[in-house]
Amino acid sequence: MKGRIVRGIGGFYYVEAQDGNEYECKARGVFRYNSEKPLPGDYCDIEIIDAAGKTGNIVSILPRKSFLIRPAAANFDRAFICFAAKDPDPNLGLLDRFLVNTMEKDIDTVIILNKVDLVSDEAAESLKKIYSDAGYEVILTSTKQGIGMDTLREMIKDTTSILSGPSGVGKSSIVNSLYGSKVAESGKISEKIKRGKNTTRSSTLLCLKSISEETYIMDTPGFSSLYNELEPAELALHFKEMQQYFGRCRFTGCVHMEEPDCAVKDAVQAGLIHRERYDSYRNIYEELMKRRKW
C-alpha cells in the first residue's frame, strides 16, 4: 500500500496511507544497510502488519523531488526560512548557512522576517534589504498584527512547503495562524539567554485545509547551529549576489578572501554587496578550510 510519511519519532514513522488510515511503521533493515533514512514528506510503500492496530513496515521510498537532512524533510516545493526581527535578535550568520544549503540543493527559498511589530519600520526594511538585494524574496510578518499573513497564505496555496528556522522566532505561531486553530505549541523566549525554547520535537507534515485540500506545510524543529559541507572554493557559487562578479577578479580561481584586485571585495567596498553577507561568507569559508584540514 502506498502512503506518505507525516512525521518520524524515535525510529517510528507515521504514514498516511491511501486507505485513509495512519499507520505506525518501522523502516526495514535494508534502509540501514543502504545508509538510507526515510524522511517526513517521503512517499513510500508499506506492508501492513496489524490492520486493527494500524502498524506496518516501510518497504521502499519513492524517488524524491527535493530533500533536506537538517531539518529532515522531503518532497516540498519551496522552503521558508523564518527569523525574528527581535526576541531573539536575528542571527544572520545562521540564516546565511541555511541559504547556502538550500542553494546547494537548488531549492527555491523565501525568507520570513517575523515579529516586525517589535521593531521600527526602518529597522525591518533595513534587514529586508540585505536579502532582497541578494536576490531573495523576503516577507515581513507579525502573527500578532496579521502583517504579511495573507501574502504567505497565497504563496503556499496548493503547494507543499517547509517552514524552518531557529527556536523562538514564531514558526509555531505562523503555523497556527495558517491552520486557523492551534495545532503547534508556541514556545517562550528565555529571558536569561534571549533564545527560543524548542517546542516542535520533530518535522510534521500538516494539511492546511483552511486554505485548500492540496496545501501542506512541514513544521520543523528549531535549530541553533548549522554546518555546510562544501569544498571551500565552491562556497561563492552559493552566494547569489557574488555570481555577477565571477571572472572579473585579477587572479583565476580567486576565492575573494585575501587576494588583491578582487571584484567581489571591490563590490563590498562600493556597497554593491552588503557587508553582513560578505562577513558571513568569510566565516563560512574559514570553517570549511578548518574542517578540510581535519
Side-chain angles (χ1 to χ4, degrees), residues 170-189:
K171 297 189 305 296
S172 294
S173 295
I174 288 174
V175 169
N176 290 335
S177 178
L178 294 171
Y179 197 84
S181 61
K182 186 174 181 179
V183 292
E185 182 182 352
S186 300
K188 295 181 179 179
I189 297 295

Side-chain angles (χ1 to χ4, degrees), residues 8 11 13 18-19 22 67 108 112 117 128 137 147 150 187 196 236 240 248 255 270 278 293:
Y13 300 92
Q18 61 190 152
D19 65 359
E22 182 178 290
F67 75 96
D108 182 21
I112 298 174
D117 56 295
K128 177 180 179 180
E137 184 164 3
I147 298 170
D150 287 342
K240 289 185 178 184
R248 294 164 59 179
V255 296
Y278 180 68
K293 291 177 182 177

Side-chain angles (χ1 to χ4, degrees), residues 108-141:
D108 182 21
T109 306
V110 176
I111 299 168
I112 298 174
L113 183 61
N114 194 32
K115 302 187 184 181
V116 294
D117 56 295
L118 300 181
V119 298
S120 67
D121 292 345
E122 292 77 14
E125 289 295 334
S126 178
L127 282 169
K128 177 180 179 180
K129 184 173 173 56
I130 294 172
Y131 291 93
S132 58
D133 285 352
Y136 288 98
E137 184 164 3
V138 184
I139 305 173
L140 303 182
T141 62

Side-chain angles (χ1 to χ4, degrees), residues 120-283:
S120 67
D121 292 345
E122 292 77 14
E125 289 295 334
S126 178
L127 282 169
K128 177 180 179 180
K129 184 173 173 56
I130 294 172
Y131 291 93
S132 58
D133 285 352
Y136 288 98
E137 184 164 3
V138 184
I139 305 173
L140 303 182
T141 62
S142 166
T143 54
K144 287 186 176 181
Q145 296 185 356
I147 298 170
M149 298 309 297
D150 287 342
T151 299
L152 190 52
R153 287 187 186 92
E154 191 60 34
M155 288 192 71
I156 67 173
K157 185 177 181 181
D158 297 329
T159 68
T160 296
S161 303
I162 178 176
L163 181 62
S164 187
S167 302
V169 298
K171 297 189 305 296
S172 294
S173 295
I174 288 174
V175 169
N176 290 335
S177 178
L178 294 171
Y179 197 84
S181 61
K182 186 174 181 179
V183 292
E185 182 182 352
S186 300
K188 295 181 179 179
I189 297 295
S190 166
E191 289 301 318
K192 183 176 181 180
I193 60 176
K194 290 295 181 181
R195 282 172 52 185
K197 299 175 182 178
N198 192 359
T199 53
T200 301
R201 300 288 185 256
S202 61
S203 297
T204 302
L205 185 65
L206 300 167
C207 182
L208 303 181
K209 295 181 180 179
S210 59
I211 297 176
S212 81
E213 293 284 343
E214 300 300 322
T215 301
Y216 291 85
I217 193 164
M218 186 87 70
D219 188 19
T220 65
F223 55 84
S224 58
S225 63
L226 193 64
Y227 298 99
N228 303 112
E229 297 181 2
L230 291 169
E231 286 298 316
E234 297 175 350
L235 179 60
L237 297 171
H238 301 83
F239 278 71
K240 289 185 178 184
E241 66 271 51
M242 292 185 181
Q243 295 177 2
Q244 62 182 302
Y245 300 101
F246 293 170
R248 294 164 59 179
C249 300
R250 176 180 174 184
F251 295 104
T252 302
C254 180
V255 296
H256 324 299
M257 292 290 287
E258 310 305 333
E259 302 92 333
D261 300 327
C262 169
V264 168
K265 291 195 295 181
D266 289 346
V268 175
Q269 290 296 327
L272 301 175
I273 292 177
H274 285 273
R275 171 64 64 178
E276 293 88 347
R277 285 279 286 171
Y278 180 68
D279 287 346
S280 285
Y281 169 81
R282 290 186 65 93
N283 289 336

